[in-house]
Amino acid sequence: MIKFLDLHKINERFRKEIDERIKQVLDSGWYLLGEQKELFEKHFAKYCGVKHCIGCANGLDALNLIIRGYGFKNGDEIIVPANTYIATILAISENGCTPILVEPDINTYNINPDLIEEKITNKTKAIMVVHLYGQAVQMDKIWTIAKKYNLKVIEDSAQAHGALYKGKRAGNLSDASGFSFYPGKNLGCMGDGGCVTTNDDELAVKIRAIANYGSDRKYHHIYKGINSRLDEIQAAILDVKLPHLDNDNKKRRKIAKYYRENIKNPKIILPKVYDENAHVWHVFAIRTEERDKLQKYLEENEIQTNIHYPTPPHKQGAYKEFVNISLPVSEEIHRTVISLPISPVMTEEEVKKTVDIINKF
Ligand SMILES: *Cc1c(COP(=O)(O)O)cnc(C)c1O
């Protein structure tokens, strides 16, 4: 069986170091808001090229904290791609803001910058982009619009650890960025984890406080905060894995390149890439009119696949207010997309077998 993602195999490579670092946490007797988190925050900020990294409990909280940090609330509008994982949109509605859904570009699957301006009203406060599947959004156009209308730009980088746009990393392409360290992400821990990265000094201080019960010092609460922490064990694990991220992304790129050069089947549309360095291939998504049939066929041939995602957010029960909106490009993507196995531990043999079997479909 070719696994979609073999997390055990991914983490087993770092077992000795992880064991050692977890032991350090056990020995220290200090489990939250300690030196492991400080160390990882420092290293991840440096990696992304930003001034601040604030660890938190998960990727959804990271986005939520940014919106809270900027004080966006009731009725404020935030522009967001219609084609994303629902967390991006939940972070907006959780704060009483209105998500303004914008169609993706069918080629990149990312938000179509040419459709943003027509959605701007006097309530618009921010554009939240998503580097979907690991491909950095072409940010220049986003920034031009944001500057023209005085909007904040926020990145959802949950799928894009290490992706570059014009030499800068995801996490350093906007006012503030949210990351997830969910186990299956390109940089994943062994439970839940997330962080915010930003160059905004004021925002960083505020978010650090909001994430800790709104407290700037012990028992002194200046915001109605939340409890969202990256614990010491997760931070230690992430700090072990971070130095290997670039190499892991390189392996993903190599597999993606092989898929793109060797999958030759008229029924299949391959993903388009604008800049090799801008893509870290969290997901290798192809499209086909015969999606369900292909998935079944691959399963019969012992190849696990996944669908990112089967139902667009505006068609979910949670968002009845959007049920009558028509977003044909998003709907087309959700109807036809299927993700092939890709990971830093996939063998050459497995990649070749996957291609052979797809070409015979
Ligand atoms: C994973 C993911 C999130 C949420 O991260 P969690 O850590 O699971 O809360 C948000 N946005 C996108 C695009 C994601 O892929």
Side-chain angles (χ1 to χ4, degrees):
M1 174 67 83
I2 298 176
K3 284 195 177 182
F4 181 73
L5 189 65
D6 190 337
L7 286 177
H8 180 264
K9 202 169 165 189
I10 284 178
N11 289 321
E12 193 62 22
R13 299 174 298 161
F14 315 119
R15 175 128 198 179
K16 245 185 94 189
E17 262 185 288
I18 288 172
D19 274 349
E20 185 52 42
R21 289 289 286 271
I22 291 178
K23 188 173 173 295
Q24 272 181 30
V25 177
L26 279 175
D27 288 345
S28 77
W30 191 275
Y31 310 115
L32 287 166
L33 304 179
E35 65 184 32
Q36 303 289 337
K37 176 170 172 278
E38 261 175 48
L39 211 55
F40 174 69
E41 286 178 342
K42 197 176 103 192
H43 292 154
F44 196 65
K46 185 161 181 241
Y47 177 81
C48 293
V50 294
K51 282 161 81 178
H52 309 282
C53 168
I54 303 113
C56 64
N58 55 63
L60 174 60
D61 276 6
L63 300 173
N64 177 20
L65 283 163
I66 294 168
I67 295 171
R68 278 182 174 235
Y70 279 128
F72 301 145
K73 51 183 186 294
N74 276 350
D76 287 342
E77 293 178 356
I78 299 180
I79 286 171
V80 68
N83 180 48
T84 181
Y85 181 56
I86 198 163
T88 323
I89 295 167
L90 286 171
I92 297 170
S93 48
E94 186 177 342
N95 286 283
C97 300
T98 308
I100 304 296
L101 307 180
V102 172
E103 283 271 61
D105 176 332
I106 189 80
N107 292 315
T108 62
Y109 306 134
N110 279 331
I111 193 165
N112 185 341
D114 298 333
L115 303 177
I116 292 178
E117 212 163 344
E118 66 198 52
K119 300 278 189 177
I120 292 173
T121 72
N122 57 9
K123 288 183 185 163
T124 311
K125 292 286 157 58
I127 305 171
M128 189 184 279
V129 299
V130 182
H131 306 303
L132 198 72
Y133 303 153
Q135 176 153 245
V137 171
Q138 300 184 288
M139 295 300 291
D140 280 356
K141 282 189 181 175
I142 307 288
W143 270 112
T144 305
I145 300 165
K147 283 195 178 124
K148 184 170 167 191
Y149 295 94
N150 195 25
L151 307 174
K152 292 290 178 197
V153 179
I154 302 166
E155 295 163 85
D156 178 342
S157 301
Q159 302 189 357
H161 316 72
L164 285 162
Y165 174 73
K166 298 196 170 172
K168 275 184 166 184
R169 296 246 184 240
N172 186 21
L173 302 173
S174 65
D175 291 298
S177 171
F179 283 90
S180 162
F181 302 119
Y182 177 81
K185 308 289 187 187
N186 286 28
L187 180 61
C189 54
M190 295 182 189
D192 274 313
C195 79
V196 173
T197 58
T198 182
N199 288 308
D200 183 334
D201 299 336
E202 212 175 297
L203 182 77
V205 170
K206 199 167 169 192
I207 283 179
R208 208 174 274 287
I210 295 171
N212 187 26
Y213 291 107
S215 169
D216 62 342
R217 57 199 148 92
K218 204 167 187 185
Y219 303 133
H220 191 258
H221 303 272
I222 52 174
Y223 308 110
K224 294 186 186 84
I226 60 174
N227 171 12
S228 184
R229 302 159 177 155
L230 179 66
D231 67 68
E232 288 290 279
I233 286 181
Q234 301 308 332
I237 291 166
L238 290 166
D239 203 46
V240 168
K241 292 179 75 178
L242 177 60
H244 305 280
L245 175 60
D246 280 343
N247 199 36
D248 278 2
N249 283 340
K250 212 193 270 166
K251 288 182 187 160
R252 286 174 182 270
R253 260 183 214 122
K254 197 173 157 206
I255 295 168
K257 188 160 184 271
Y258 190 85
Y259 277 158
R260 286 168 53 228
E261 285 171 358
N262 294 285
I263 294 176
K264 291 195 170 90
N265 185 324
K267 291 180 188 162
I268 283 164
I269 302 169
L270 290 165
K272 290 201 174 54
V273 181
Y274 289 86
D275 170 0
E276 292 287 338
N277 292 321
H279 212 319
V280 291
W281 300 102
H282 175 58
V283 166
F284 190 94
I286 58 175
R287 283 192 296 124
T288 173
E289 285 298 320
E290 298 173 38
R291 190 259 304 278
D292 294 346
K293 215 172 125 190
L294 177 62
Q295 185 166 44
K296 194 158 167 276
Y297 164 82
L298 291 174
E299 201 180 292
E300 283 161 7
N301 283 283
E302 307 218 297
I303 297 169
Q304 285 182 348
T305 57
N306 223 322
I307 292 170
H308 299 94
Y309 299 91
T311 309
H314 70 283
K315 295 288 184 198
Q316 296 283 358
Y319 284 106
K320 296 214 167 58
E321 62 268 43
F322 293 137
V323 83
N324 293 320
I325 298 183
S326 165
L327 294 159
V329 183
S330 296
E331 287 158 29
E332 164 84 5
I333 292 170
H334 285 78
R335 184 177 66 79
T336 53
V337 88
I338 174 169
S339 310
L340 302 184
I342 191 164
S343 86
V345 295
M346 213 181 155
T347 65
E348 231 167 273
E349 219 174 34
E350 289 175 323
V351 179
K352 285 197 170 120
K353 185 185 162 194
T354 304
V355 169
D356 286 346
I357 290 184
I358 289 175
N359 285 345
K360 286 182 197 138
F361 173 63

